[in-house]
């Protein structure tokens, strides 16, 4: 899933092409290209006098997504590049780590 800064889903990243993951590329597809499709209705539980089990309740909330793109559109779509943070380099002594934490003192505090 691809999110914006506010947590809204912008699109889905899907694997396209290849065989068993070999030769596959990742493609970002905008959410507007998907249509919700009801899950298989044959698996829906029958109406009963007793409350349904949690497993039976999840069946009614499952939805499949169908993409409107053709096979050729998926093949020709650009590869999605996952974010790779810049490699960590230290500018010498006192360089802070990429965690945002202050560097550790190199000498013990006075009075010890």
């Amino acid at each position: 899933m691809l999110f914006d800064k506010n947590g809204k889903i912008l699109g889905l990243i899907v694997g396209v092409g290849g065989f068993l993951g070999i030769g596959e590329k990742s493609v970002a597809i905008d959410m507007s290209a998907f249509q919700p499709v009801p899950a298989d209705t044959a698996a829906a539980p029958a109406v009963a006098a007793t409350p349904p089990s949690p497993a039976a309740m999840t069946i009614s909330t499952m939805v499949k997504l169908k993409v409107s793109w053709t096979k050729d559109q998926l093949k020709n779509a650009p590869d999605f590049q996952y974010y790779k943070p810049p490699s960590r380099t230290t500018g010498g002594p006192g360089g802070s780590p990429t965690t945002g934490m202050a560097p550790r003192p190199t000498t013990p505090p006075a009075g010890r």
Side-chain angles (χ1 to χ4, degrees), residues 40-53:
D40 186 13
T41 55
V47 176
T50 59
S53 68

Side-chain angles (χ1 to χ4, degrees), residues 2-88:
L2 188 60
F3 296 95
D4 70 4
K5 292 188 287 185
N6 299 317
K8 178 183 173 192
I9 300 172
L10 297 176
L12 299 176
I13 310 302
V14 297
V16 175
F19 180 72
L20 298 175
I22 298 171
E24 181 179 271
K25 71 175 184 176
S26 295
V27 173
I29 302 176
D30 188 79
M31 288 304 294
S32 64
F34 291 95
Q35 295 88 35
V37 179
D40 186 13
T41 55
V47 176
T50 59
S53 68
M57 289 174 55
T58 59
I59 292 172
S60 64
T61 60
M62 289 192 299
V63 178
K64 294 180 181 181
L65 294 176
K66 180 180 176 183
V67 69
S68 60
W69 289 15
T70 66
K71 188 175 180 179
D72 287 334
Q73 286 174 312
L74 290 169
K75 281 183 179 180
N76 295 326
D79 291 350
F80 177 80
Q81 299 297 316
Y82 289 92
Y83 174 74
K84 294 178 185 165
S87 59
R88 181 177 167 184

